Amino acid sequence: MSMDRQCVFITGAAAGIGRATARLFSQRGWFVGIADIDAPALAQLAQELGPSAMRFRLDATRAEEWNAALGAFFDKTGRLDLLVNNAGILISGPFESNALARHDALVDVNIKGVIHGCHCAQPFLARTPGARVVNLSSSAAIYGQAALATYSATKFAVRGLTEALNIEWQDQGIRVMDVMPLFVQTAMVKDMDAASIRRLGVRLTPEDVANVIWKAAHYRGSPGKVHWPVGFRAKLFHALNGAGPDRLARFIARMIAK
């Protein structure tokens, strides 16, 4: 079947930002594909959203699962207006205090998961006029954050991929953007070991981020609008990093992390 209403596919949809985004888009008339590795929580969300949602148990690190889920979604909808690459994990604390396996897991989920999503979704996005991608980056991609080193590195990778594909896919009519929140009130920040969270606090809700994703999904301005910081502080850090020398950005990051 081919749908008249717009369709979005969201990873990491079972909780936090992904769940808030699925609820928002569903409430505003979109058909929502919800995907997550947490099948029980995903089933609860699917029951809440009802017939406006289609659920997929998805490990974002496995390309074959991406292909199966997106293929089934497109078979039902005939379109893919928006892909939201939201699935991600976090570790914190001194770099050497975390086992290498945990660093590897961040690379697999936060980088490979986004690469897989963009690569597997491209044929469906290209067949949908005005399609776009919103990747979940972070304010940690503005300047590397102490005690969040590998997480920062993965989000810098997401930022770089977003910037590159925003240019590369423009001629295909696919717009690629990212959102860059500071700390958000989700399970990811529970028991987080970083001075920056103690200094800055957790001020954003998942709904705050979902609202910015909604704005990015409907933005009709310049293709050069790629990054969407969420909240006043993230916008300020982003502006200062762009306007000042590297040493200023490093000074701010060091003061936050002390």
Side-chain angles (χ1 to χ4, degrees):
M1 63 179 290
S2 181
M3 292 195 173
D4 293 330
R5 56 178 170 164
Q6 290 179 293
C7 301
V8 57
F9 189 95
I10 304 167
T11 65
I17 294 169
R19 182 173 60 194
T21 302
R23 285 171 170 164
L24 177 64
F25 277 76
S26 176
Q27 290 165 2
R28 296 185 178 178
W30 286 51
F31 186 79
V32 182
I34 51 174
D36 203 290
I37 200 169
D38 186 347
L42 196 66
Q44 291 179 356
L45 178 61
Q47 185 175 15
E48 173 190 332
L49 299 182
S52 66
M54 184 177 183
R55 79 178 189 265
F56 302 90
R57 197 275 182 191
L58 171 68
D59 180 345
T61 68
R62 302 180 69 86
E64 65 274 19
E65 294 189 15
W66 269 106
N67 284 325
L70 288 170
F73 185 72
F74 197 82
D75 283 346
K76 180 175 179 63
T77 64
R79 60 193 299 164
L80 178 58
D81 297 277
L82 175 64
L83 169 67
V84 180
N85 276 312
N86 168 69
I89 59 175
L90 177 147
I91 59 173
S92 61
F95 178 77
E96 66 280 6
S97 70
N98 286 289
L100 270 177
R102 300 191 72 197
H103 292 281
D104 289 344
L106 257 70
V107 171
D108 286 342
V109 176
N110 295 3
I111 301 178
K112 291 182 180 179
V114 175
I115 291 173
H116 289 172
C118 290
H119 194 277
C120 296
Q122 186 277 335
F124 307 115
L125 294 164
R127 292 168 62 183
T128 308
R132 50 189 66 192
V133 178
V134 174
N135 296 321
L136 263 293
S137 184
S138 168
S139 61
I142 296 172
Y143 195 90
Q145 294 297 302
L148 296 169
T150 299
Y151 179 77
S152 278
T154 65
K155 293 305 181 179
F156 267 96
V158 171
R159 174 177 180 163
L161 180 72
T162 299
E163 291 171 350
L165 291 182
N166 177 264
I167 297 170
E168 189 172 332
W169 286 357
Q170 182 174 350
D171 291 342
Q172 301 179 38
I174 305 170
R175 190 164 192 159
V176 186
M177 296 168 283
D178 62 23
V179 295
M180 308 176 79
L182 269 168
F183 305 117
V184 183
Q185 296 168 16
T186 69
M188 280 182 64
V189 301
K190 185 179 179 181
D191 301 323
M192 187 172 149
D193 179 17
S196 52
I197 195 170
R198 293 188 289 274
R199 280 181 173 269
L200 297 175
V202 184
R203 299 170 182 269
L204 296 174
T205 67
E207 290 73 24
D208 292 328
V209 184
N211 282 324
V212 174
I213 294 172
W214 176 264
K215 290 178 183 178
H218 293 83
Y219 180 70
R220 304 299 178 192
S222 167
K225 174 65 173 172
V226 179
H227 304 301
W228 293 74
V230 183
F232 172 76
R233 293 186 177 193
K235 291 176 182 177
L236 178 61
F237 295 156
H238 188 260
L240 288 174
N241 187 61
D246 286 348
R247 61 181 178 273
L248 174 61
R250 183 182 185 278
F251 174 79
I252 294 171
R254 191 166 185 266
M255 290 301 100
I256 291 171
K258 272 192 172 182

